[in-house]
């Protein structure tokens, strides 16, 4: 075969004859230049073309060099040339024609896929579409946040410069002032530092700071008792981080923490300067700052306490909103992962100390508030503090649990949600005490305040104030002004003031140890009056107070006389219950959402232990004329009000749960389902209607769904159907600090009108599609790691076939081979590994009652592996074994779609390149010395991506870079490399004499 070199004339064709070389002649000492090696980067089919040509040429007799030299003489005719060389050239030309046809067919086959690959891809896309569709349309929480208004102004501290911090040129510090209220820049309250999150703005402090200014100016400042007790306004400082990215860069997080510690020192110095402070000179100078952090700002706040420049006791209260405390939101940066580990280890170690003096965080309270399912930026599971802080120093609560908020919030609306910001500001102001250097009340008192504002009041940790009170009200009654309800009967008031005069209804309190474990409950649609209020309803817990001769009734600050002047009056020493009232969303025929603008219900709940020193419950109807309103009070048996079905999770998923509440039931019924602990499962609840007429029904069923760790409650008003989903046991989450898993599961608390005297059917079934939607937030990182498993195995198969046959097969052909062998085997092995890890974890975990040392104070149990959920898909439940092959299936479909997209882009680029250049390029590397290393690298990459790809993604990134570097090294292993050749490539100077010519 003759071939004209680039740039030669037609006459030059006869001066050069290319003879096909045998396979062994390639290593005859000639070395290809780097310029020729540059073109060895195109289609895999050229290698096969050349090998086929060489094989056919070696099977045909070829003349020696002596004969070849005679061709350069002029005495050889064309007939003689054809006679001498027809066998070689004809064979070569035929083979080249065949290989060109083969190459075109191979190019067409790059888009083809087998039936197995097609079926797998279609099934994968169907599953992926179902997951995304369910995430967008099913099990969605309603949005109920109201907008807020403010008139912001910001004062920049220009003198906080490089003399104070090395980041002065990068970051800035501001003081917020609300227009029309605080227009001066003098500090006069308690310092609060707001920390924005990832790419956040310093202006996000506006809603909180504006509400604090208005609330203090309009309410607190008008109360002399509050001012006397040490309550002051809040000075909100905020930091401009220039929208730095902290969620993906650990060093940025450390830089911000260092800057903030220096900012805290500067802020505290402002209160020492009389030129900048308007505080009362008799008050101690502030020694600590309250931190409020949003998103990654909450992590920066916790990091500050671990930095070398942190001033001891300069921070004692931290409130975080939508902050991923438990684990980093993305593990792409090694420094971020290490920083998280260092911070969390520091906090755990601090709270593991036996003595308070050894705990540097003993004075710190940390409250983590999550937005729930509406937050699609950071999974709310990551906001949990259960693995970091004991409940004596902090807790995690969801906005849907907070009284008078009762709605979820997305990642940004949690900052400006009007109902929520009011609760934050009021809780902070109540925790203020400027008479102490720390500017806040003691830690235990702060925790009581935060629990009262953020929790529902029905949790086990909620403290009742009634037992700590002294009797303050003397209630005087006579037979005509009171009615005594018989033991075990229910008090039902459907109208207030029906008797025409105020009247007290007395319920005798059963003695301790009564069978059934009784508790007292009261529910009303009216506000329960505090002492001295002029409402409709007042609840008192009383004991008989016989007034002896000479004994004065002035011992009581309040007196309620419902008797005439008759001598047969009964006197009771009573305590008010207004401070223990629990707010519940109103549930009527017109109710739609728990956050509707309606007057909430009032609810009281006490155990017999709380009422041990009392004899009667007095429900006082204070109205003198008929008024709308109702109240229901009773002592109910715990055995009747609490239902605990013995139902395993597989049985629950298979058959569901069906409960029929009897007609004679308590007002409040609680169904506890211990098997429901996973955040990956969603359910659908149905409640039958009551056969009450419109005139008889006082309220419609009200449902509360809650778990105890973290504190998450959701309310459903006028409920007939409800979506049940929780943030319980979640993938990749570290175990609780106490080494215990959730044991109580989900509880469904149902308030229903007992006067209807009809039964209610309650049914619960798993929502399969809704559960698929829950995989998005928990496993979105898997969709970045698991496809790499498929790609690594496919590349490994391509190199294996190339090493055996010299053919570099297409991606689709390789994935078809992998689907028949390696991929099923790998995912089967991973599934077995997941089952093994789950079974070993369940067998080694024991309840705390079996431990030698139980939980005491703040000490943690010693042998807790906080990384045990980092492997594979992060779940320790054997029930979810199918997630491994399911993720593999979805990953195959993703890889196939991405492959076709890449092919389309490649075809377009090749077409453009073919127009701009006609230079040949050949795949040349046939070196097989490193095939075992290459196969091992790809296999190791696939296994690591499957096991640790989510938790340590940054290592996966480094492994991919290493594999790419290895492939480049192998590519250049059979070619000469020179700086001159590299220079020629960069300058575009290719010598035609260096281009190796092939048949």
């Amino acid at each position: 075969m003759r071939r004209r070199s680039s740039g030669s004339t037609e006459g030059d064709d006869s001066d050069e004859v290319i003879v096909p070389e045998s396979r062994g002649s390639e290593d005859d000492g000639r070395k290809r230049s780097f310029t020729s090696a540059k073109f060895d980067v195109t289609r895999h089919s050229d290698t096969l073309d050349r090998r086929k040509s060489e094989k056919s040429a070696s099977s045909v007799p070829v003349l020696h060099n002596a004969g070849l030299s005679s061709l350069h003489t002029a005495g050889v005719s064309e007939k003689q040339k054809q006679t001498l060389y027809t066998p070689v050239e004809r064979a070569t030309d035929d083979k080249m024609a065949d290989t060109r046809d083969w190459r075109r067919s191979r190019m067409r086959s790059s888009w083809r896929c087998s039936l197995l690959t097609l079926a797998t891809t279609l099934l994968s896309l169907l599953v992926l579409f179902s997951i995304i569709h369910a995430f967008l349309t099913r099990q969605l929480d309603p949005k109920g946040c109201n907008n807020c208004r403010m008139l912001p102004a910001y004062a920049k501290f220009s003198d906080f410069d490089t003399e104070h911090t090395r980041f002065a040129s990068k970051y800035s510090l501001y003081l917020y002032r609300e227009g029309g209220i605080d227009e001066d820049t003098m500090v006069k309250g308690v310092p609060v530092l707001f920390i924005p999150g990832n790419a956040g703005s310093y202006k996000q402090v506006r809603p909180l700071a504006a509400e604090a200014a208005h609330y203090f100016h309009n309410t607190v400042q008008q109360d002399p008792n509050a001012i006397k007790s040490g309550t002051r306004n809040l000075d909100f400082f905020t930091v401009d981080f220039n929208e730095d990215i902290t969620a993906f860069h650990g060093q940025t997080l450390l830089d911000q923490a260092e800057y903030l510690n220096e900012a805290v020192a500067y802020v505290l110095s402002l209160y020492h300067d009389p030129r900048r402070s308007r505080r009362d000179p008799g008050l101690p100078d502030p020694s600590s700052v309250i931190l409020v952090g949003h998103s990654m700002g909450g992590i920066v706040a916790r990091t500050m306490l671990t930095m070398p420049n942190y001033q001891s006791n300069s921070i004692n209260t931290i409130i975080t909103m939508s902050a991923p405390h438990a684990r980093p939101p993305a593990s792409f940066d090694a420094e971020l992962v290490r920083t998280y580990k260092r911070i969390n280890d520091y906090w755990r170690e601090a709270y593991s100390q036996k003595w308070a003096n050894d705990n540097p965080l003993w004075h710190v309270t940390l409250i983590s508030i999550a937005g729930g399912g509406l937050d699609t930026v950071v999974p709310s599971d990551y906001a949990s503090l259960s693995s970091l802080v004991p409940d004596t120093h902090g807790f995690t609560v969801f906005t849907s649990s907070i009284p008078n908020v009762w709605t979820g919030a997305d990642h940004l609306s949690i900052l400006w949600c009007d109902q929520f910001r009011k609760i934050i500001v009021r809780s902070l102001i109540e925790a203020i005490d400027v008479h102490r250097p720390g500017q806040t009340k003691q830690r235990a008192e702060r925790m009581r305040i935060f629990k009262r504002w953020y929790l529902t009041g029905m949790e086990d940790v909620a403290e009742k104030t009634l037992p700590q009170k002294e009797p303050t009200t003397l209630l005087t009654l006579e037979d005509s002004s009171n009615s005594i309800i018989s033991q075990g009967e229910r008090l039902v008031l459907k109208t207030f003031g029906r008797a025409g005069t105020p009247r007290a209804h007395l319920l005798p309190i059963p003695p301790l140890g009564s069978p059934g474990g009784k508790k007292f409950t009261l529910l009303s649609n009216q506000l329960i009056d505090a002492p001295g209020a002029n409402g409709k309803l007042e609840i008192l817990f009383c004991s008989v107070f016989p007034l002896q001769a000479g004994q004065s009734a002035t011992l009581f600050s309040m007196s309620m006389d419902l008797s005439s002047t008759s001598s047969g009056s009964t006197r009771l020493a009573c305590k008010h219950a207004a401070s223990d009232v629990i707010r519940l969303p109103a549930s009527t025929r017109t109710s739609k959402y728990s956050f509707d603008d309606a007057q909430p219900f009032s609810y009281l709940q006490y155990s017999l232990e709380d009422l041990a020193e009392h004899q009667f419950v007095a429900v006082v109807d204070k109205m003198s004329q008929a008024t709308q309103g109702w109240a229901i009070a009773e002592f109910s048996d715990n055995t009747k009000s609490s239902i605990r079905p013995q139902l395993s999770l597989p049985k629950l998923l298979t058959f569901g749960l069906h409960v029929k509440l009897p007609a004679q039931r308590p007002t409040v019924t609680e169904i506890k389902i211990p098997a429901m602990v996973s955040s990956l499962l969603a359910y659908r609840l149905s409640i039958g209607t009551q056969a009450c007429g419109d005139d008889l029904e006082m309220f419609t069923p009200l449902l509360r769904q809650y778990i105890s760790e973290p504190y998450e409650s959701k309310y459903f008003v006028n409920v007939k159907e409800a979506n049940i989903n929780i943030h319980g046991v979640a993938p990749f989450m570290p175990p609780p600090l106490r080494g215990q898993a959730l044991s109580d599961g989900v509880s469904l608390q149902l308030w229903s009108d007992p006067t209807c005297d009809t039964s209610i059917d309650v049914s619960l079934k798993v929502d399969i599609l809704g559960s698929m939607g829950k995989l998005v937030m928990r496993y979105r990182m898997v969709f970045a790691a698991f496809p790499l498993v498929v790609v690594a195995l496919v590349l490994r198969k391509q190199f294996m076939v190339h090493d055996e046959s010299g053919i570099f097969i297409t991606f689709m052909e390789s994935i078809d081979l992998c689907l028949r062998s390696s991929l099923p085997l790998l995912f089967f092995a991973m599934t077995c590994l997941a089952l093994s890890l789950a079974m070993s974890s369940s067998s080694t975990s024991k309840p705390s009652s079996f431990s030698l040392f139980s939980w005491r104070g703040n000490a943690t149990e010693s042998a807790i592996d906080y990384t045990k959920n980092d492997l594979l898909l992060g779940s320790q439940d054997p029930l979810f074994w199918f997630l491994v092959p399911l993720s593999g299936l979805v990953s195959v479909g993703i890889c196939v779609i991405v492959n076709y997209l890449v092919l389309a882009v490649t075809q377009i680029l090749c077409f453009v390149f073919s127009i701009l250049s006609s230079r040949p390029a050949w795949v040349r590397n046939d070196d097989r010395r490193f095939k075992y290393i290459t196969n091992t690298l790809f296999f190791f990459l696939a296994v690591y991506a499957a096991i640790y790809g989510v938790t340590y993604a940054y290592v996966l990134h480094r492994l991919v870079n290493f594999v790419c570097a290895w492939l480049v090294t192998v590519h250049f292993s059979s070619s000469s490399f020179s700086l001159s050749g590299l220079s020629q490539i960069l300058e575009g100077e290719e010598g035609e004499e260096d281009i190796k010519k092939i048949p």
Side-chain angles (χ1 to χ4, degrees), residues 117 790 794 811-819 823 892 895-896:
T117 306
V790 179
V794 170
F811 185 90
M812 298 305 299
E813 290 175 318
S814 181
I815 203 171
D816 177 64
L817 295 176
C818 291
L819 286 174
L823 279 175
V892 170
C895 291
V896 171

Side-chain angles (χ1 to χ4, degrees), residues 21-34:
E21 299 178 293
S22 64
R23 176 68 178 173
S25 64
E26 293 181 3
D27 297 325
D28 56 356
R30 296 184 57 193
K31 292 185 177 180
R32 295 178 301 148
S33 69
F34 184 79

Side-chain angles (χ1 to χ4, degrees), residues 596-790:
D596 289 342
D597 187 12
Q599 179 176 299
F601 288 171
S602 299
Y603 179 66
L604 284 173
Q605 178 178 297
Y606 292 101
S607 64
L608 287 184
E609 289 76 11
D610 297 328
L611 308 177
E613 60 183 61
H614 304 94
Q615 296 172 315
F616 297 97
V617 179
V619 180
V620 182
D621 178 2
K622 301 166 66 175
M623 300 305 296
S624 300
Q625 56 184 0
T627 308
Q628 290 183 352
W630 52 265
I632 303 174
E634 65 182 350
F635 283 92
S636 58
D637 293 344
N638 289 331
T639 55
K640 295 181 179 179
S641 62
S642 181
I643 301 174
R644 194 182 184 96
Q646 300 298 323
L647 197 64
S648 64
L649 183 57
K651 188 175 181 181
L652 175 64
L653 299 179
T654 305
F655 303 103
L657 174 66
H658 303 277
V659 176
K660 186 172 185 178
L661 304 181
Q664 299 298 323
R665 63 182 182 276
T667 305
V668 185
T669 304
E670 188 168 356
I671 304 174
K672 297 183 178 181
I673 312 173
M676 291 177 58
V677 297
S678 176
S679 61
L680 296 177
L681 296 175
Y683 301 85
R684 190 72 179 165
L685 179 73
S686 300
I687 297 180
T689 58
Q690 299 184 98
C692 280
D694 294 340
D695 299 333
L696 298 177
E697 189 178 48
M698 292 186 289
F699 66 97
T700 54
L702 169 64
L703 178 69
R704 174 193 173 218
Q705 160 219 318
Y706 74 94
I707 57 176
S708 58
E709 184 60 48
Y711 297 117
E712 181 186 20
S713 296
K714 293 182 182 179
Y715 293 92
F716 303 91
V717 298
N718 192 21
V719 60
K720 298 179 178 64
E721 291 186 345
N723 294 322
I724 307 297
N725 54 81
I726 63 173
H727 292 83
V729 178
F732 305 108
M733 288 292 291
L737 194 65
R738 287 170 282 184
Q740 303 180 40
L742 294 179
S743 57
D744 294 334
V746 175
S747 295
L748 303 176
Q749 203 169 6
L750 180 66
W751 288 265
S752 59
D753 189 352
T755 61
C756 290
D757 199 24
T758 57
S759 60
I760 296 181
D761 293 325
V762 179
S763 62
L764 181 73
K765 295 182 179 180
V766 64
D767 185 357
I768 297 178
L769 292 179
S771 300
M772 294 177 66
K774 298 302 174 185
L775 298 176
V776 174
M777 289 302 297
R778 276 78 180 187
Y779 287 121
R780 55 185 178 179
M781 287 292 294
V782 172
F783 297 131
F786 257 60
L788 190 56
V789 178
V790 179

Side-chain angles (χ1 to χ4, degrees), residues 849-985:
S849 57
F850 293 97
S851 302
L852 181 61
F853 300 102
S854 60
W855 170 261
R856 296 181 180 178
N858 299 315
T860 59
E861 298 182 13
S862 56
I864 301 177
D865 182 10
Y866 293 104
T867 63
K868 69 176 185 179
N869 293 332
D870 290 348
L871 298 177
L872 290 175
L873 298 183
S875 176
Q876 296 294 321
D877 194 336
L879 182 68
F880 298 108
W881 63 267
F882 63 90
L883 290 179
V884 175
L886 180 67
S887 301
L889 175 65
V890 173
S891 300
V892 170
I894 293 176
C895 291
V896 171
I897 296 302
V898 171
N899 172 66
Y900 280 127
L901 293 177
V902 172
L903 277 178
V905 173
T906 304
Q907 292 292 335
I908 296 174
L909 295 178
C910 288
F911 176 76
V912 174
F913 182 80
S914 64
I915 296 177
L916 300 179
S917 174
S918 59
R919 293 176 301 180
W922 309 101
V923 173
R924 180 67 190 169
N925 197 340
D926 295 330
D927 199 337
R928 306 181 187 179
R929 292 172 295 174
F930 307 113
K931 64 178 182 179
Y932 298 109
I933 300 179
T934 304
N935 292 335
T936 303
L937 284 176
F938 278 117
F939 183 77
F940 178 75
L941 179 62
V943 173
Y944 188 90
I947 299 179
Y948 286 106
V950 176
T951 306
Y952 303 105
Y954 69 93
V955 179
L956 194 61
H957 178 261
R958 294 175 180 176
L959 288 177
V960 172
N961 290 339
F962 179 78
V963 173
C964 292
W966 170 259
L967 294 179
V968 173
T969 303
V970 173
H971 172 73
F972 286 115
S973 63
S974 61
S975 64
S976 60
F977 180 85
S978 64
L979 293 178
S980 60
L982 179 61
S983 176
Q984 291 178 5
I985 291 179

Side-chain angles (χ1 to χ4, degrees), residues 48 54 190 217 277 333 356 375 432 454 480 533 617 668 682 750 993:
L48 182 62
E54 291 170 352
V190 176
H217 182 267
S277 175
D333 181 62
D375 191 345
I432 294 300
Y454 299 146
S480 60
V617 179
V668 185
L750 180 66
E993 68 277 1

